[in-house]
C-alpha cells in the first residue's frame, strides 16, 4: 500500500471512487462532476482541492497497470472566523473490497499530518448519521461529533428558485 498526493492522471480513478461512494450513500445518480471538472478544478493555477490517493500492487498477471488506486481523501482549505485557516475533508473513500485493511486509517492519518504541517487549528468533515462504522471510527480517533449543528445546503435548483423569487 502506498499513500501519495493525487495527480491529474489519477482523476478517473478518483471519479470512480466518488461514484462508488454515491452508490453506498444511496444517491447513485447524484454525481454530476466529470474527470474534466476534477482536472480543471484540482490542478489549475489556484486549485480548489487536493487529494491523497491510496494505491496497491495489482495482480502481476494484469498487464494493464502495475498499481491500482483503491482509496482517496479529497480536502480543501477553508477559513473560520473563530479559528483561521482550517481543512475541510470532503470525502475519504475506500473501495468496499479494501475496507478493514488499514487503508482508511492510513488516509485519515495523512489528512491529520497535512493539517499539522499546515498549522491549521481545525479539520472538519461530515458523516451521515446512519454510517455507524464511520462514526465509531471517528469517535475512537478522538474526533467530536457535533450534535448541536445541522448541515445546511442550497442545491442548484434551490439557488435558482431563491433568486427567481426575490
Amino acid at each position: 500500500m502506498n499513500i501519495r498526493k493525487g495527480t491529474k492522471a489519477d482523476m478517473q480513478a478518483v471519479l470512480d471512487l466518488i461514484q462508488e461512494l454515491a452508490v453506498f450513500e444511496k444517491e447513485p445518480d447524484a454525481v454530476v462532476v466529470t474527470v474534466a471538472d476534477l482536472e480543471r478544478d484540482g490542478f489549475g493555477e489556484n486549485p480548489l482541492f487536493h487529494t491523497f490517493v491510496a494505491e496497491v500492487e495489482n495482480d502481476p498477471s494484469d498487464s494493464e497497470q502495475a498499481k491500482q488506486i483503491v482509496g482517496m481523501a479529497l480536502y480543501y482549505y477553508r477559513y473560520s472566523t473563530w479559528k483561521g485557516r482550517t481543512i475541510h475533508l470532503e470525502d475519504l473513500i475506500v473501495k468496499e473490497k479494501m475496507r478493514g485493511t488499514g487503508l482508511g486509517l492510513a488516509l485519515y492519518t495523512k489528512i491529520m499530518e497535512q493539517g499539522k504541517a499546515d498549522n491549521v487549528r481545525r479539520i472538519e468533515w461530515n458523516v451521515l448519521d446512519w454510517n455507524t462504522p464511520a462514526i465509531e471510527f471517528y469517535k475512537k480517533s478522538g474526533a467530536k461529533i457535533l450534535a448541536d449543528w445541522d448541515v445546511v445546503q442550497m442545491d442548484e435548483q434551490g439557488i435558482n428558485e431563491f433568486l427567481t423569487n426575490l
Side-chain angles (χ1 to χ4, degrees):
M1 171 177 30
N2 180 40
I3 307 293
R4 64 172 172 77
K5 284 274 193 186
T7 67
K8 197 173 190 178
D10 297 326
M11 291 305 102
Q12 180 60 63
V14 166
L15 181 58
D16 292 344
L17 287 162
I18 292 167
Q19 290 168 327
E20 184 173 322
L21 178 65
V23 170
F24 174 76
E25 292 185 353
K26 302 173 180 69
E27 294 277 349
D29 300 321
V31 178
V32 296
V33 71
T34 66
V35 171
D37 293 333
L38 293 169
E39 290 174 347
R40 178 195 66 232
D41 296 340
F43 299 91
E45 188 174 319
N46 295 304
L48 299 177
F49 68 86
H50 307 277
T51 58
F52 289 110
V53 296
E55 59 187 3
V56 294
E57 296 291 328
N58 257 355
D59 181 335
S61 65
D62 184 353
S63 60
E64 293 213 9
Q65 65 186 85
K67 296 181 181 184
Q68 178 186 18
I69 293 173
V70 293
M72 72 94 176
L74 188 146
Y75 68 99
Y76 55 89
Y77 295 93
R78 294 175 59 175
Y79 197 84
S80 164
T81 55
W82 289 10
K83 301 293 181 187
R85 189 173 190 213
T86 67
I87 285 179
H88 182 82
L89 173 58
E90 180 64 22
D91 279 317
L92 191 156
I93 307 167
V94 175
K95 279 189 170 287
E96 187 173 7
K97 69 180 183 179
M98 297 301 294
R99 293 183 192 146
T101 64
L103 198 140
L105 176 60
L107 284 164
Y108 184 78
T109 300
K110 203 68 164 166
I111 291 294
M112 297 305 147
E113 290 171 348
Q114 185 69 50
K116 181 145 182 73
D118 292 340
N119 293 314
V120 301
R121 293 188 181 105
R122 181 171 66 208
I123 300 172
E124 58 195 357
W125 60 95
N126 299 320
V127 61
L128 289 167
D129 61 1
W130 55 261
N131 191 346
T132 307
I135 291 168
E136 292 307 314
F137 171 82
Y138 296 139
K139 284 182 180 176
K140 187 177 175 184
S141 79
K144 297 175 192 167
I145 309 292
L146 303 178
D148 297 343
W149 291 81
D150 288 328
V151 175
V152 179
Q153 294 182 337
M154 181 77 81
D155 65 13
E156 188 176 10
Q157 180 181 345
I159 294 166
N160 291 335
E161 288 175 8
F162 173 80
L163 293 173
T164 300
N165 295 324
L166 277 179

